[in-house]
Amino acid sequence: MTRAISLHDVSKTYARGVRVVDRLSLDIAPGEFLVLLGPSGCGKSTVLRMIAGLEEITDGELLLDGAHANDLLPAERRMAMVFQNFALYPNMTTRGNIGFPLRVEDPQADHTARVDATARMLGIEDLLDRLPAQLSGGERQRVAMGRAISRRPTAFLMDEPLSNLDAKLRNHLRAEITRLTRELGVTTVYVTHDQSEAMSLGDRVAVLRGGVLQQVDTPRAVYALPRNVFVAAFIGTPRINLLRGLVRAPLDGAMTISLGKQYLRLPEPLCLDHQLLRVQQGREVIVGLRSEAVRIAKPSSARPGEVLLTGLVEHVEFQGHEVLVHFNTGSRPALVPDLEAPRPATRPVGRRRRDGTVLDRLRHRAGALRAGPVVVMDEPPEPGPPVAAPDGRLPGDLIVRTTPDIDLRHGMQVPLLVDLAHLFVFDQHGDRICPAPARLPDLEE
Ligand SMILES: Nc1ncnc2c1ncn2[C@@H]1O[C@H](COP(=O)(O)OP(=O)(O)O)[C@@H](O)[C@H]1O
Ligand SMILES: [Mg+2]
């Protein structure tokens, strides 16, 4: 396979030994649209700037078209960058801005045809004589794109180019970016903290946490087969339900995963994935259930592979085309550091203080961020009843997606059928153990 951009064990260490990118390896194919996704501060911009040549690579190697490129000047890389704040030259018209890189390259030539073609591609022919101040935010971003593509760069590097725009415009430009990059066939690295943007744009999505690559896969695969709890929780809305479970595998009975007051009974004979859980006997695990893996239905209507839970309706979130029902099942949610707590009211205050600030900073300073847990498992069970949210609602531990025709109200006790074919189990470190990591389903392309 040819690779347009390759990173081999690339690290970035700032002064005083703070390592913000840690041995990142990534191969990006020619024409591929790769999204770098992760929470704020995880090192996305740093990676992009190292590819562009704006930031020195501390360790490791960057290859462009197969050739060592660590020391190439930014101009020699012929890449185009688009930033969030779409910096345009304020005293130049649209025509001037789009044509600027062409004039720098060849001041003598007539670039009118290329500028016109670029403007046509972006639907901004009518704006060619306006100054940036006379353009709306979306129009300015189009001009910035125009300036980036006019020179036909070897790659586009885009750093959250849409995050300053309103939702409608963002969606519109998203579609436009997809169309443009496909049309031009130019390799693109696109940085965002917005998972839905990543999923809709990327051929593949690379998920970063604390400077460490967690997974790189197609949008389908990161959703369906997240490598660990962090990826599972970062991708998908509503966020995947993460419950703390305990595996019980008695010699003479069915294997179960206890979820506090209730349990999931795994059907016999155990499927291959569930057999793997035997070694977790007596250990705490994290059960992951996406909101569509559970349905509200009578126990008598259970299909093969579905098991019963009971949920108390805490809160019903009407969304028009669907409804999100928050249930209390008596289980305890697992917490994922680096992401805000899934249910703020259930997050133990003491834990947050210890983990969120001092400890995190110490770890960071020690350059040991990568060693931080993907999931917090070691605090004792919450004593007493769950704490009410500021608005008086009790927090649920399980969110289920359903159709709007089911009439559910606070306080109702409802049967829930859990589809075990869509059950995720993660180990104490947050790594996925079920479905088995080694099993390559047909989803992975
Ligand atoms: N010049 C710098 N010196 C020290 N630390 C920096 C510098 N630039 C960025 N950082 C730190 O590097 C980390 C990653 O930053 P960045 O790549 O901008 O993250 P992202 O783009 O994912 O939000 C952050 O913790 C940030 O504070
Ligand atoms: Mg950034």
Side-chain angles (χ1 to χ4, degrees):
M1 186 181 95
T2 46
R3 285 140 190 161
I5 303 171
S6 284
L7 298 132
H8 291 318
D9 283 334
V10 165
S11 298
K12 176 73 193 180
T13 309
Y14 282 116
R16 279 187 278 147
V18 180
R19 188 172 266 214
V20 298
V21 176
D22 193 3
R23 284 170 296 170
L24 174 66
S25 292
L26 206 53
D27 286 318
I28 306 167
E32 180 172 14
F33 195 118
L34 182 106
V35 179
L36 276 179
L37 172 70
S40 171
C42 73
K44 305 179 295 295
S45 296
T46 305
V47 172
L48 207 66
R49 292 169 57 82
M50 287 193 289
I51 296 174
L54 302 173
E55 199 77 69
E56 204 179 310
I57 294 170
T58 315
D59 274 307
E61 188 180 30
L62 170 73
L63 299 166
L64 299 177
D65 283 327
H68 182 82
N70 288 41
D71 313 312
L72 287 186
L73 294 171
E76 295 171 319
R77 304 183 192 203
R78 293 187 52 88
M79 295 174 165
M81 273 193 99
V82 183
F83 298 97
Q84 177 176 336
N85 49 5
F86 29 84
L88 296 175
Y89 299 107
N91 55 345
M92 281 185 204
T93 60
T94 298
R95 178 177 293 286
N97 266 292
I98 294 179
F100 184 77
L102 300 170
R103 289 198 305 280
V104 169
E105 204 166 55
D106 186 353
Q108 308 305 326
D110 177 12
H111 302 294
T112 314
R114 177 66 78 80
V115 171
D116 287 346
T118 304
R120 241 190 335 273
M121 211 175 227
L122 289 155
I124 49 173
E125 307 100 301
D126 301 339
L127 309 176
L128 279 169
D129 298 319
R130 292 209 206 157
L131 292 168
Q134 300 166 316
L135 300 171
S136 71
E139 288 166 345
R140 258 179 258 159
Q141 191 57 318
R142 275 202 196 113
V143 177
M145 296 276 300
R147 193 175 58 186
I149 65 177
S150 65
R151 199 173 51 132
R152 297 296 149 87
T154 54
F156 290 136
L157 307 177
M158 306 197 191
D159 196 348
E160 316 229 11
L162 305 183
S163 51
N164 275 352
L165 307 172
D166 65 61
K168 193 166 155 237
L169 197 54
R170 220 162 39 223
N171 284 337
H172 185 75
L173 284 179
R174 232 189 237 184
E176 209 141 282
I177 287 176
T178 306
R179 182 182 61 80
L180 261 177
T181 52
R182 293 272 179 282
E183 240 171 73
L184 297 167
V186 176
T187 313
T188 304
V189 186
Y190 186 104
V191 161
T192 183
H193 65 273
D194 177 341
Q195 61 89 26
S196 87
E197 197 166 290
M199 300 293 269
S200 73
L201 282 171
D203 292 324
R204 286 187 306 158
V205 177
V207 185
L208 277 178
R209 172 191 178 240
V212 180
L213 182 66
Q214 307 290 303
Q215 182 166 7
V216 50
D217 255 317
T218 61
R220 279 169 74 102
V222 284
Y223 185 82
L225 289 167
R227 282 255 295 274
N228 59 34
V229 158
F230 179 82
V231 176
F234 201 73
I235 285 169
T237 41
R239 183 176 297 174
I240 189 171
N241 299 291
L242 293 170
L243 308 175
R244 298 169 62 174
L246 185 68
V247 176
R248 293 186 204 279
L251 289 173
D252 54 349
M255 183 150 77
T256 61
I257 304 176
S258 153
L259 298 171
K261 300 205 171 79
Q262 305 188 58
Y263 59 86
L264 300 171
R265 184 195 169 98
L266 304 179
E268 308 265 355
L270 292 172
C271 69
L272 270 176
D273 281 327
H274 295 165
Q275 283 172 30
L276 292 169
L277 292 173
R278 265 195 199 291
V279 293
Q280 302 293 328
Q281 148 69 16
R283 291 202 200 136
E284 275 220 49
V285 292
I286 300 139
V287 169
L289 290 169
R290 295 224 185 258
S291 59
E292 62 270 22
V294 183
R295 62 188 184 103
I296 301 161
K298 291 201 193 80
S300 59
S301 70
R303 302 167 192 146
E306 283 184 333
V307 295
L308 183 70
L309 284 182
T310 304
L312 183 69
V313 177
E314 296 290 2
H315 170 52
V316 180
E317 215 179 301
F318 184 69
Q319 309 241 313
H321 63 295
E322 65 178 16
V323 170
L324 300 176
V325 189
H326 298 235
F327 288 102
N328 190 333
T329 64
S331 50
R332 283 182 298 137
L335 309 178
V336 184
D338 295 351
L339 298 173
E340 74 274 33
R343 316 278 181 275
T346 58
R347 183 168 182 152
V349 173
R351 186 76 214 174
R352 171 170 15 197
R353 199 170 295 138
R354 270 193 294 148
D355 215 68
T357 56
V358 183
L359 222 143
D360 256 0
R361 250 183 276 146
L362 284 174
R363 272 201 203 107
H364 203 102
R365 216 167 284 160
L369 194 64
R370 65 185 174 281
V374 174
V375 66
V376 175
M377 295 284 286
D378 54 344
E379 87 252 31
E382 283 291 278
V387 191
D391 60 0
R393 276 197 327 255
L394 283 171
D397 51 40
L398 188 75
I399 298 179
V400 177
R401 193 196 295 267
T402 184
T403 50
D405 54 305
I406 305 182
D407 185 28
L408 290 175
R409 259 157 289 154
H410 175 84
M412 286 167 90
Q413 193 89 6
V414 178
L416 301 171
L417 296 175
V418 177
D419 180 4
L420 292 179
H422 288 105
L423 172 78
F424 291 115
V425 183
F426 303 93
D427 69 13
Q428 293 81 357
H429 310 291
D431 293 324
R432 195 187 80 227
I433 43 180
C434 174
R439 211 187 67 189
L440 292 178
D442 34 42
L443 268 175
E444 282 182 341
E445 285 139 5

